Amino acid sequence: MNFDYSETQVMAGQTAKDFSEKYIRPHVMEWDESQHFPVEVFKKAGDFGLMGVLVPESYGGSGLGYHEYIAIIEEISKVDPSIGLSVAAHNSLCTNHILEFGSEEIKQKYLPKLATGEFLGAWGLTEHNTGSDAGGMNTTAVREGDHYVLNGAKNFITHGISGDVAVVVVRTGEKGDSHGMSAFVIEKGTPGFTSGKKENKMGMRASETAELIFDNCRVPVANMLGEEGEGFIQSMKVLDGGRISIGALSLGIAKGAYEAALKYSKEREQFGKPISKFQAIAFKLADMATEIEASELLLHKAAFLKNKGGKMTKLGAMSKMYASEVCVNVANEALQIHGGYGYIKDYPVEKFYRDAKLCTIGEGTTEIQKLVISREVLK
């Protein structure tokens, strides 16, 4: 068993780090305060190969695996988790759903544009009354000849306003039937397909979150991903991989907060010495470092299984659950180490603290991950 980073992992991580330092860091607090979604940054990310990480080179992507993907999301998230979240959602949800389940015609049409950043992707499963209970969705698609007519709404959708193309999962059968939902690709500008309210969030403020609204929206049958009734099953498989990306986002937040706390603890003096010399602070740092290490190992084990095509539902849920809970804890302790200065916006831990909480909620709450894990271990 080899725990060394490969050359491609190192290069992928360094590319993301260089990109983040140049194009993201100078604007982090400006974007956060104004809740500005920097579309132009994602276009630039496409030039760096960061928008089609998992897409084969034949479709214009980078053709990398999940180990490299973790390194990329981690490095971006150490600088600004909200940008890391958007890059993750674009890659692992919208783009990956098309890659995994789209027809060759759909892949040829959309993947090159998504992989290069020409198109920004959105993915819609959640609705106002169906968060964890996705099977109870109300948005419907009724077939009329060569089209399906969609009616309803999705909420909490990353890139709900600015996305150029969305993959949406809607009901084509009975409510609650896991084979009663189907997935479609829909382009912005399609009649009857509009955006709704943009959410005013506590954290991840530079990542756009909004509603998708369907009002007699006619979508060609050819835009269906796979067969009718496969949408929910597809979504669960997409989320298996998506949990690695949220775990990587969590890892980046945890490392960013930890590194800030470590630096501060060596510089801040009380009672005539750096606070890192006090056991109360040193032990916090020890716990944080250990939890981060364990998160990273779990994530890369899940990535190993995903890369070789193995079943990784349990490991994906474990890595997402653990890494997200760790990032909340580490951000909390990092703020505590900073004391009063951690509570003001001049120091980065205040933002890590606000951004971290989303990780225990998005793409399946901690409670849902425990449900997934317990079902797997009790089989």
Side-chain angles (χ1 to χ4, degrees):
M1 193 176 293
N2 184 1
F3 290 100
D4 291 333
Y5 270 30
S6 69
E7 185 178 345
T8 53
Q9 279 176 266
V10 173
M11 287 176 61
Q14 189 62 50
T15 297
K17 182 177 181 179
D18 293 343
F19 171 81
S20 301
E21 292 294 336
K22 184 173 182 179
Y23 296 102
I24 301 174
R25 191 178 293 281
H27 310 287
V28 170
M29 292 312 295
E30 168 199 342
W31 293 341
D32 182 75
E33 293 285 348
S34 63
Q35 202 168 200
H36 172 66
F37 180 60
V39 175
E40 67 284 355
V41 166
F42 300 98
K43 305 291 185 187
K44 180 62 69 173
D47 296 338
F48 281 72
L50 305 176
M51 299 297 275
V53 179
L54 304 166
V55 176
E57 293 180 27
S58 58
Y59 296 113
S62 298
L64 299 174
Y66 274 82
H67 294 300
E68 291 80 13
Y69 182 47
I70 289 171
I72 287 168
I73 300 300
E74 174 193 323
E75 289 295 343
I76 296 172
S77 303
K78 284 168 69 174
V79 175
D80 189 344
S82 55
I83 305 301
L85 172 63
S86 275
V87 172
H90 170 92
N91 273 282
S92 67
L93 297 180
C94 177
T95 304
N96 199 46
H97 199 143
I98 293 172
L99 176 64
E100 294 279 346
F101 300 106
S103 65
E104 186 59 31
E105 181 182 358
I106 286 177
K107 289 179 184 178
Q108 293 286 355
K109 184 176 181 179
Y110 292 111
L111 288 180
K113 292 181 178 180
L114 288 164
T116 56
E118 180 182 346
F119 272 13
L120 186 65
W123 192 77
L125 179 65
T126 300
E127 297 185 5
H128 293 80
N129 296 314
T130 59
S132 297
D133 180 21
M137 66 178 60
N138 294 312
T139 302
T140 58
V142 178
R143 184 161 182 170
E144 291 185 1
D146 293 333
H147 289 76
Y148 281 86
V149 181
L150 276 62
N151 282 286
K154 299 288 180 179
N155 80 323
F156 296 151
I157 307 305
T158 305
H159 313 146
I161 296 170
S162 300
D164 299 286
V165 62
V167 172
V168 297
V169 182
V170 298
R171 188 158 57 82
T172 49
E174 294 300 314
K175 185 179 287 192
D177 179 4
S178 62
H179 295 283
M181 289 159 276
S182 304
F184 296 88
V185 183
I186 311 175
E187 283 192 49
K188 179 189 283 187
T190 301
F193 177 37
T194 56
S195 302
K197 170 188 163 189
K198 179 178 177 178
E199 303 295 347
N200 185 12
K201 307 193 299 289
M202 175 178 79
M204 301 291 191
R205 290 172 59 81
S207 179
E208 179 184 271
T209 306
E211 294 175 306
L212 298 178
I213 299 170
F214 308 94
D215 182 9
N216 291 319
C217 175
R218 295 179 66 83
V219 180
V221 172
N223 281 37
M224 180 180 284
L225 296 172
E227 301 296 326
E228 183 175 305
E230 294 180 349
F232 185 75
I233 307 302
Q234 292 174 4
S235 297
M236 294 304 102
K237 292 178 180 177
V238 168
L239 285 171
D240 275 350
R243 285 165 183 156
I244 294 177
S245 70
I246 298 299
L249 170 64
S250 303
L251 182 64
I253 294 172
K255 284 190 176 183
Y258 167 75
E259 290 170 9
L262 182 64
K263 180 175 182 290
Y264 182 83
S265 73
K266 293 177 179 178
E267 296 171 350
R268 172 70 166 171
E269 291 193 0
Q270 293 287 271
F271 307 103
K273 58 183 177 181
I275 61 171
S276 60
K277 299 294 184 182
F278 293 98
Q279 191 178 75
I281 302 300
F283 278 16
K284 284 183 186 297
L285 292 166
D287 286 340
M288 292 156 75
T290 303
E291 290 175 346
I292 289 169
E293 192 76 19
S295 297
E296 192 160 20
L297 289 168
L298 257 179
L299 278 165
H300 281 288
K301 185 172 182 181
F304 171 77
L305 289 175
K306 182 67 177 174
N307 278 344
K308 71 174 192 173
K311 182 171 170 54
M312 43 74 65
T313 299
K314 181 178 74 173
L315 261 296
M318 284 178 169
S319 61
K320 191 273 184 187
M321 180 190 76
Y322 187 77
S324 65
E325 291 292 340
V326 162
C327 91
V328 169
N329 182 56
V330 169
N332 180 56
E333 292 288 47
L335 194 151
Q336 188 72 16
I337 288 170
H338 279 71
Y341 289 109
Y343 205 68
I344 61 175
K345 293 178 182 289
D346 294 343
Y347 289 80
V349 292
E350 176 271 344
K351 184 174 183 299
F352 284 128
Y353 183 81
R354 286 186 289 112
D355 289 344
K357 189 57 193 169
L358 186 275
C359 296
T360 68
I361 300 169
E363 293 193 34
T365 62
T366 291
E367 291 74 23
I368 287 294
Q369 304 312 319
K370 288 182 178 180
L371 184 65
V372 171
I373 295 163
S374 62
R375 284 176 175 172
E376 289 294 316
V377 299
L378 291 170
K379 277 183 178 178

Short mmCIF file of all heavy atoms in Angstrom, two decimals, residues 170-228:
data_model
loop_
_atom_site.label_atom_id
_atom_site.label_comp_id
_atom_site.label_asym_id
_atom_site.label_seq_id
_atom_site.Cartn_x
_atom_site.Cartn_y
_atom_site.Cartn_z
N VAL A 170 -36.88 14.75 -11.97
CA VAL A 170 -38.29 15.07 -11.74
C VAL A 170 -39.13 13.79 -11.76
O VAL A 170 -38.66 12.73 -12.17
CB VAL A 170 -38.81 16.06 -12.81
CG1 VAL A 170 -38.06 17.38 -12.74
CG2 VAL A 170 -38.68 15.48 -14.21
N ARG A 171 -40.38 13.93 -11.34
CA ARG A 171 -41.24 12.76 -11.19
C ARG A 171 -41.96 12.44 -12.50
O ARG A 171 -42.65 13.28 -13.06
CB ARG A 171 -42.24 12.99 -10.06
CG ARG A 171 -43.07 11.78 -9.69
CD ARG A 171 -43.62 11.90 -8.28
NE ARG A 171 -44.42 13.09 -8.08
CZ ARG A 171 -45.70 13.23 -8.43
NH1 ARG A 171 -46.33 12.21 -9.01
NH2 ARG A 171 -46.35 14.33 -8.19
N THR A 172 -41.77 11.22 -12.97
CA THR A 172 -42.48 10.74 -14.17
C THR A 172 -43.43 9.60 -13.82
O THR A 172 -44.11 9.07 -14.71
CB THR A 172 -41.48 10.27 -15.25
OG1 THR A 172 -40.52 9.39 -14.65
CG2 THR A 172 -40.75 11.45 -15.87
N GLY A 173 -43.45 9.21 -12.56
CA GLY A 173 -44.32 8.12 -12.10
C GLY A 173 -44.97 8.49 -10.79
O GLY A 173 -45.23 9.67 -10.50
N GLU A 174 -45.20 7.50 -9.94
CA GLU A 174 -45.88 7.73 -8.67
C GLU A 174 -44.92 8.31 -7.64
O GLU A 174 -43.74 7.96 -7.60
CB GLU A 174 -46.46 6.41 -8.14
CG GLU A 174 -47.58 5.83 -9.00
CD GLU A 174 -48.76 6.77 -9.13
OE1 GLU A 174 -49.20 7.33 -8.10
OE2 GLU A 174 -49.24 6.96 -10.27
N LYS A 175 -45.44 9.18 -6.80
CA LYS A 175 -44.64 9.77 -5.73
C LYS A 175 -44.15 8.68 -4.77
O LYS A 175 -44.92 7.79 -4.38
CB LYS A 175 -45.47 10.80 -4.96
CG LYS A 175 -44.67 11.56 -3.91
CD LYS A 175 -45.51 12.59 -3.18
CE LYS A 175 -45.82 13.78 -4.06
NZ LYS A 175 -46.40 14.91 -3.27
N GLY A 176 -42.87 8.74 -4.44
CA GLY A 176 -42.30 7.77 -3.52
C GLY A 176 -41.75 6.53 -4.18
O GLY A 176 -41.05 5.74 -3.55
N ASP A 177 -42.03 6.35 -5.47
CA ASP A 177 -41.53 5.19 -6.21
C ASP A 177 -40.12 5.50 -6.69
O ASP A 177 -39.91 6.45 -7.44
CB ASP A 177 -42.45 4.91 -7.40
CG ASP A 177 -41.98 3.71 -8.24
OD1 ASP A 177 -41.00 3.06 -7.86
OD2 ASP A 177 -42.61 3.45 -9.29
N SER A 178 -39.15 4.69 -6.27
CA SER A 178 -37.76 4.95 -6.66
C SER A 178 -37.54 4.79 -8.16
O SER A 178 -36.51 5.23 -8.69
CB SER A 178 -36.81 4.02 -5.89
OG SER A 178 -37.08 2.66 -6.21
N HIS A 179 -38.50 4.17 -8.84
CA HIS A 179 -38.42 4.05 -10.30
C HIS A 179 -39.44 4.97 -10.99
O HIS A 179 -39.77 4.78 -12.15
CB HIS A 179 -38.66 2.60 -10.72
CG HIS A 179 -37.59 1.66 -10.24
ND1 HIS A 179 -36.34 1.58 -10.83
CD2 HIS A 179 -37.57 0.80 -9.18
CE1 HIS A 179 -35.61 0.69 -10.18
NE2 HIS A 179 -36.32 0.20 -9.18
N GLY A 180 -39.88 5.98 -10.23
CA GLY A 180 -40.86 6.91 -10.77
C GLY A 180 -40.28 8.28 -11.05
O GLY A 180 -41.03 9.26 -11.19
N MET A 181 -38.94 8.38 -11.15
CA MET A 181 -38.29 9.66 -11.41
C MET A 181 -37.32 9.53 -12.58
O MET A 181 -36.74 8.45 -12.79
CB MET A 181 -37.55 10.13 -10.16
CG MET A 181 -38.48 10.58 -9.04
SD MET A 181 -37.70 10.55 -7.41
CE MET A 181 -37.92 8.83 -6.96
N SER A 182 -37.16 10.62 -13.32
CA SER A 182 -36.29 10.62 -14.50
C SER A 182 -35.45 11.88 -14.52
O SER A 182 -35.81 12.90 -13.93
CB SER A 182 -37.14 10.53 -15.78
OG SER A 182 -37.98 9.39 -15.75
N ALA A 183 -34.31 11.82 -15.22
CA ALA A 183 -33.37 12.94 -15.28
C ALA A 183 -33.34 13.53 -16.68
O ALA A 183 -33.36 12.80 -17.67
CB ALA A 183 -31.98 12.47 -14.87
N PHE A 184 -33.27 14.87 -16.73
CA PHE A 184 -33.23 15.59 -18.01
C PHE A 184 -32.13 16.64 -18.00
O PHE A 184 -31.80 17.19 -16.94
CB PHE A 184 -34.57 16.31 -18.26
CG PHE A 184 -35.75 15.40 -18.43
CD1 PHE A 184 -36.47 14.98 -17.33
CD2 PHE A 184 -36.14 14.96 -19.69
CE1 PHE A 184 -37.57 14.15 -17.46
CE2 PHE A 184 -37.23 14.12 -19.84
CZ PHE A 184 -37.95 13.71 -18.73
N VAL A 185 -31.60 16.92 -19.18
CA VAL A 185 -30.68 18.05 -19.37
C VAL A 185 -31.49 19.18 -19.99
O VAL A 185 -32.18 18.99 -20.99
CB VAL A 185 -29.52 17.69 -20.32
CG1 VAL A 185 -28.56 18.86 -20.43
CG2 VAL A 185 -28.79 16.45 -19.83
N ILE A 186 -31.39 20.38 -19.36
CA ILE A 186 -32.15 21.53 -19.85
C ILE A 186 -31.22 22.74 -19.93
O ILE A 186 -30.52 23.06 -18.97
CB ILE A 186 -33.34 21.87 -18.93
CG1 ILE A 186 -34.17 20.61 -18.62
CG2 ILE A 186 -34.22 22.94 -19.56
CD1 ILE A 186 -35.28 20.85 -17.63
N GLU A 187 -31.25 23.42 -21.06
CA GLU A 187 -30.42 24.62 -21.25
C GLU A 187 -31.15 25.86 -20.78
O GLU A 187 -32.38 25.96 -20.87
CB GLU A 187 -30.04 24.79 -22.72
CG GLU A 187 -28.93 23.87 -23.18
CD GLU A 187 -28.39 24.26 -24.55
OE1 GLU A 187 -28.08 25.45 -24.76
OE2 GLU A 187 -28.30 23.36 -25.41
N LYS A 188 -30.36 26.83 -20.28
CA LYS A 188 -30.91 28.14 -19.96
C LYS A 188 -31.53 28.74 -21.23
O LYS A 188 -31.00 28.57 -22.32
CB LYS A 188 -29.80 29.07 -19.45
CG LYS A 188 -30.29 30.48 -19.11
CD LYS A 188 -29.13 31.42 -18.84
CE LYS A 188 -28.55 31.19 -17.47
NZ LYS A 188 -27.52 32.22 -17.13
N GLY A 189 -32.66 29.40 -21.07
CA GLY A 189 -33.32 29.99 -22.23
C GLY A 189 -34.44 29.14 -22.78
O GLY A 189 -35.22 29.61 -23.63
N THR A 190 -34.54 27.89 -22.32
CA THR A 190 -35.65 27.04 -22.74
C THR A 190 -36.96 27.66 -22.24
O THR A 190 -37.07 27.97 -21.05
CB THR A 190 -35.49 25.61 -22.17
OG1 THR A 190 -34.27 25.05 -22.63
CG2 THR A 190 -36.66 24.72 -22.61
N PRO A 191 -37.96 27.88 -23.10
CA PRO A 191 -39.22 28.48 -22.67
C PRO A 191 -39.83 27.72 -21.49
O PRO A 191 -39.88 26.49 -21.49
CB PRO A 191 -40.11 28.38 -23.91
CG PRO A 191 -39.14 28.40 -25.06
CD PRO A 191 -37.95 27.61 -24.56
N GLY A 192 -40.25 28.47 -20.48
CA GLY A 192 -40.85 27.86 -19.30
C GLY A 192 -39.85 27.48 -18.22
O GLY A 192 -40.24 27.01 -17.15
N PHE A 193 -38.56 27.69 -18.48
CA PHE A 193 -37.49 27.36 -17.52
C PHE A 193 -36.87 28.66 -17.04
O PHE A 193 -36.20 29.36 -17.80
CB PHE A 193 -36.46 26.47 -18.19
CG PHE A 193 -35.27 26.11 -17.32
CD1 PHE A 193 -35.42 25.86 -15.96
CD2 PHE A 193 -34.00 26.00 -17.88
CE1 PHE A 193 -34.33 25.51 -15.18
CE2 PHE A 193 -32.90 25.65 -17.10
CZ PHE A 193 -33.06 25.42 -15.75
N THR A 194 -37.11 29.02 -15.79
CA THR A 194 -36.60 30.28 -15.24
C THR A 194 -35.97 30.06 -13.87
O THR A 194 -36.08 28.98 -13.29
CB THR A 194 -37.74 31.32 -15.10
OG1 THR A 194 -38.79 30.76 -14.28
CG2 THR A 194 -38.30 31.71 -16.46
N SER A 195 -35.35 31.10 -13.38
CA SER A 195 -34.73 31.08 -12.05
C SER A 195 -35.57 31.88 -11.08
O SER A 195 -36.25 32.84 -11.46
CB SER A 195 -33.32 31.68 -12.11
OG SER A 195 -32.51 30.97 -13.02
N GLY A 196 -35.52 31.49 -9.82
CA GLY A 196 -36.26 32.20 -8.78
C GLY A 196 -35.34 32.91 -7.82
O GLY A 196 -34.26 33.39 -8.19
N LYS A 197 -35.73 32.92 -6.58
CA LYS A 197 -35.05 33.66 -5.53
C LYS A 197 -33.63 33.16 -5.27
O LYS A 197 -33.40 31.95 -5.19
CB LYS A 197 -35.89 33.52 -4.26
CG LYS A 197 -35.24 34.01 -2.98
CD LYS A 197 -36.13 33.62 -1.80
CE LYS A 197 -35.36 33.71 -0.49
NZ LYS A 197 -36.13 33.13 0.62
N LYS A 198 -32.71 34.11 -5.14
CA LYS A 198 -31.35 33.79 -4.71
C LYS A 198 -31.32 33.83 -3.20
O LYS A 198 -31.77 34.79 -2.57
CB LYS A 198 -30.36 34.80 -5.29
CG LYS A 198 -28.92 34.55 -4.86
CD LYS A 198 -27.96 35.55 -5.50
CE LYS A 198 -26.53 35.35 -5.02
NZ LYS A 198 -25.59 36.30 -5.67
N GLU A 199 -30.78 32.77 -2.58
CA GLU A 199 -30.75 32.67 -1.13
C GLU A 199 -29.66 33.56 -0.52
O GLU A 199 -28.56 33.67 -1.05
CB GLU A 199 -30.53 31.22 -0.69
CG GLU A 199 -31.55 30.23 -1.23
CD GLU A 199 -32.96 30.45 -0.72
OE1 GLU A 199 -33.15 31.22 0.26
OE2 GLU A 199 -33.89 29.86 -1.30
N ASN A 200 -29.99 34.19 0.61
CA ASN A 200 -29.05 35.02 1.36
C ASN A 200 -28.48 34.16 2.49
O ASN A 200 -29.13 33.98 3.53
CB ASN A 200 -29.76 36.26 1.89
CG ASN A 200 -28.81 37.22 2.58
OD1 ASN A 200 -27.59 37.09 2.48
ND2 ASN A 200 -29.37 38.19 3.28
N LYS A 201 -27.30 33.62 2.30
CA LYS A 201 -26.78 32.55 3.15
C LYS A 201 -25.83 33.05 4.24
O LYS A 201 -25.19 34.09 4.11
CB LYS A 201 -26.06 31.49 2.30
CG LYS A 201 -26.89 30.95 1.14
CD LYS A 201 -26.28 29.71 0.53
CE LYS A 201 -24.89 29.92 -0.05
NZ LYS A 201 -24.88 30.74 -1.27
N MET A 202 -25.72 32.25 5.29
CA MET A 202 -24.79 32.53 6.38
C MET A 202 -23.34 32.41 5.90
O MET A 202 -22.49 33.24 6.20
CB MET A 202 -25.03 31.54 7.53
CG MET A 202 -24.02 31.66 8.68
SD MET A 202 -24.38 30.51 10.02
CE MET A 202 -23.71 28.98 9.38
N GLY A 203 -23.07 31.35 5.17
CA GLY A 203 -21.72 31.09 4.65
C GLY A 203 -21.79 30.69 3.19
O GLY A 203 -22.87 30.71 2.58
N MET A 204 -20.65 30.33 2.63
CA MET A 204 -20.56 29.97 1.21
C MET A 204 -21.24 31.04 0.34
O MET A 204 -21.93 30.75 -0.63
CB MET A 204 -21.23 28.60 0.96
CG MET A 204 -20.62 27.45 1.73
SD MET A 204 -18.95 27.04 1.15
CE MET A 204 -18.66 25.49 2.02
N ARG A 205 -21.00 32.30 0.69
CA ARG A 205 -21.79 33.39 0.11
C ARG A 205 -21.39 33.73 -1.33
O ARG A 205 -22.17 34.34 -2.05
CB ARG A 205 -21.68 34.63 1.00
CG ARG A 205 -22.43 34.45 2.32
CD ARG A 205 -22.17 35.59 3.29
NE ARG A 205 -22.54 36.89 2.77
CZ ARG A 205 -23.78 37.38 2.76
NH1 ARG A 205 -24.80 36.66 3.23
NH2 ARG A 205 -24.03 38.59 2.29
N ALA A 206 -20.20 33.35 -1.74
CA ALA A 206 -19.80 33.60 -3.13
C ALA A 206 -20.18 32.44 -4.05
O ALA A 206 -19.85 32.46 -5.23
CB ALA A 206 -18.30 33.87 -3.22
N SER A 207 -20.88 31.45 -3.51
CA SER A 207 -21.42 30.35 -4.32
C SER A 207 -22.91 30.57 -4.44
O SER A 207 -23.63 30.61 -3.44
CB SER A 207 -21.15 29.00 -3.65
OG SER A 207 -21.69 27.94 -4.41
N GLU A 208 -23.36 30.75 -5.67
CA GLU A 208 -24.77 31.10 -5.91
C GLU A 208 -25.71 29.93 -5.62
O GLU A 208 -25.50 28.82 -6.09
CB GLU A 208 -24.90 31.52 -7.37
CG GLU A 208 -26.30 31.90 -7.80
CD GLU A 208 -26.31 32.19 -9.29
OE1 GLU A 208 -26.08 33.35 -9.66
OE2 GLU A 208 -26.54 31.24 -10.08
N THR A 209 -26.77 30.22 -4.85
CA THR A 209 -27.79 29.23 -4.52
C THR A 209 -29.15 29.82 -4.80
O THR A 209 -29.48 30.89 -4.28
CB THR A 209 -27.70 28.83 -3.03
OG1 THR A 209 -26.36 28.40 -2.73
CG2 THR A 209 -28.67 27.71 -2.70
N ALA A 210 -29.96 29.17 -5.64
CA ALA A 210 -31.24 29.76 -6.04
C ALA A 210 -32.23 28.68 -6.46
O ALA A 210 -31.91 27.49 -6.52
CB ALA A 210 -31.01 30.75 -7.19
N GLU A 211 -33.45 29.13 -6.76
CA GLU A 211 -34.51 28.24 -7.23
C GLU A 211 -34.42 28.02 -8.74
O GLU A 211 -33.94 28.87 -9.48
CB GLU A 211 -35.88 28.87 -6.95
CG GLU A 211 -36.25 29.02 -5.50
CD GLU A 211 -37.57 29.76 -5.35
OE1 GLU A 211 -37.70 30.87 -5.90
OE2 GLU A 211 -38.48 29.21 -4.69
N LEU A 212 -34.93 26.88 -9.18
CA LEU A 212 -35.21 26.61 -10.59
C LEU A 212 -36.72 26.43 -10.70
O LEU A 212 -37.30 25.68 -9.92
CB LEU A 212 -34.50 25.34 -11.08
CG LEU A 212 -32.97 25.31 -11.05
CD1 LEU A 212 -32.48 23.94 -11.53
CD2 LEU A 212 -32.39 26.41 -11.93
N ILE A 213 -37.33 27.09 -11.67
CA ILE A 213 -38.79 27.04 -11.81
C ILE A 213 -39.17 26.54 -13.20
O ILE A 213 -38.60 26.96 -14.21
CB ILE A 213 -39.39 28.45 -11.57
CG1 ILE A 213 -39.05 28.93 -10.14
CG2 ILE A 213 -40.91 28.43 -11.78
CD1 ILE A 213 -39.39 30.38 -9.89
N PHE A 214 -40.13 25.63 -13.23
CA PHE A 214 -40.61 25.04 -14.49
C PHE A 214 -42.11 25.32 -14.63
O PHE A 214 -42.90 24.92 -13.78
CB PHE A 214 -40.36 23.54 -14.52
CG PHE A 214 -38.93 23.17 -14.21
CD1 PHE A 214 -38.55 22.84 -12.91
CD2 PHE A 214 -37.96 23.19 -15.20
CE1 PHE A 214 -37.23 22.54 -12.62
CE2 PHE A 214 -36.65 22.89 -14.92
CZ PHE A 214 -36.28 22.56 -13.62
N ASP A 215 -42.48 26.01 -15.71
CA ASP A 215 -43.86 26.35 -15.97
C ASP A 215 -44.21 25.91 -17.39
O ASP A 215 -43.94 26.63 -18.35
CB ASP A 215 -44.07 27.86 -15.80
CG ASP A 215 -45.53 28.28 -16.00
OD1 ASP A 215 -46.40 27.39 -16.09
OD2 ASP A 215 -45.78 29.49 -16.07
N ASN A 216 -44.79 24.71 -17.49
CA ASN A 216 -45.07 24.12 -18.81
C ASN A 216 -43.83 24.16 -19.71
O ASN A 216 -43.91 24.55 -20.88
CB ASN A 216 -46.25 24.83 -19.48
CG ASN A 216 -47.56 24.55 -18.78
OD1 ASN A 216 -47.83 23.42 -18.38
ND2 ASN A 216 -48.39 25.57 -18.62
N CYS A 217 -42.72 23.76 -19.12
CA CYS A 217 -41.43 23.74 -19.84
C CYS A 217 -41.34 22.47 -20.68
O CYS A 217 -41.37 21.36 -20.14
CB CYS A 217 -40.29 23.80 -18.83
SG CYS A 217 -38.64 23.65 -19.55
N ARG A 218 -41.24 22.65 -21.99
CA ARG A 218 -41.21 21.51 -22.92
C ARG A 218 -39.76 21.11 -23.19
O ARG A 218 -38.96 21.90 -23.69
CB ARG A 218 -41.92 21.87 -24.21
CG ARG A 218 -43.41 22.12 -24.01
CD ARG A 218 -44.10 22.50 -25.33
NE ARG A 218 -44.08 21.39 -26.28
CZ ARG A 218 -44.96 20.40 -26.28
NH1 ARG A 218 -45.93 20.35 -25.37
NH2 ARG A 218 -44.90 19.42 -27.18
N VAL A 219 -39.45 19.85 -22.86
CA VAL A 219 -38.10 19.32 -23.02
C VAL A 219 -38.15 18.12 -23.97
O VAL A 219 -38.95 17.21 -23.77
CB VAL A 219 -37.51 18.89 -21.66
CG1 VAL A 219 -36.10 18.35 -21.82
CG2 VAL A 219 -37.52 20.06 -20.68
N PRO A 220 -37.29 18.09 -25.01
CA PRO A 220 -37.31 16.96 -25.94
C PRO A 220 -37.01 15.63 -25.24
O PRO A 220 -36.22 15.58 -24.28
CB PRO A 220 -36.19 17.30 -26.93
CG PRO A 220 -36.03 18.78 -26.84
CD PRO A 220 -36.32 19.13 -25.41
N VAL A 221 -37.65 14.59 -25.71
CA VAL A 221 -37.40 13.24 -25.17
C VAL A 221 -35.91 12.91 -25.24
O VAL A 221 -35.36 12.25 -24.35
CB VAL A 221 -38.22 12.20 -25.95
CG1 VAL A 221 -37.83 10.78 -25.54
CG2 VAL A 221 -39.72 12.42 -25.71
N ALA A 222 -35.23 13.40 -26.28
CA ALA A 222 -33.80 13.12 -26.47
C ALA A 222 -32.94 13.69 -25.35
O ALA A 222 -31.78 13.29 -25.19
CB ALA A 222 -33.34 13.67 -27.82
N ASN A 223 -33.50 14.64 -24.57
CA ASN A 223 -32.74 15.24 -23.47
C ASN A 223 -32.80 14.43 -22.18
O ASN A 223 -32.24 14.84 -21.16
CB ASN A 223 -33.23 16.66 -23.20
CG ASN A 223 -32.69 17.67 -24.19
OD1 ASN A 223 -32.54 17.38 -25.36
ND2 ASN A 223 -32.37 18.86 -23.71
N MET A 224 -33.49 13.30 -22.21
CA MET A 224 -33.52 12.44 -21.03
C MET A 224 -32.19 11.71 -20.89
O MET A 224 -31.60 11.27 -21.87
CB MET A 224 -34.67 11.43 -21.13
CG MET A 224 -34.78 10.50 -19.92
SD MET A 224 -36.14 9.32 -20.08
CE MET A 224 -37.54 10.39 -19.70
N LEU A 225 -31.72 11.60 -19.66
CA LEU A 225 -30.50 10.86 -19.37
C LEU A 225 -30.88 9.43 -19.01
O LEU A 225 -31.57 9.20 -18.02
CB LEU A 225 -29.72 11.51 -18.22
CG LEU A 225 -29.20 12.92 -18.51
CD1 LEU A 225 -28.64 13.55 -17.25
CD2 LEU A 225 -28.14 12.90 -19.59
N GLY A 226 -30.44 8.47 -19.84
CA GLY A 226 -30.84 7.09 -19.62
C GLY A 226 -32.28 6.88 -20.01
O GLY A 226 -32.81 7.55 -20.89
N GLU A 227 -32.93 5.96 -19.29
CA GLU A 227 -34.32 5.62 -19.60
C GLU A 227 -35.26 6.26 -18.58
O GLU A 227 -34.85 6.64 -17.48
CB GLU A 227 -34.50 4.10 -19.58
CG GLU A 227 -33.63 3.35 -20.57
CD GLU A 227 -33.95 3.69 -22.02
OE1 GLU A 227 -35.15 3.92 -22.30
OE2 GLU A 227 -33.02 3.71 -22.85
N GLU A 228 -36.54 6.32 -18.95
CA GLU A 228 -37.53 6.84 -18.01
C GLU A 228 -37.57 5.96 -16.77
O GLU A 228 -37.54 4.73 -16.85
CB GLU A 228 -38.92 6.87 -18.67
CG GLU A 228 -39.99 7.45 -17.76
CD GLU A 228 -41.33 7.60 -18.44
OE1 GLU A 228 -41.39 8.26 -19.50
OE2 GLU A 228 -42.33 7.06 -17.90
#
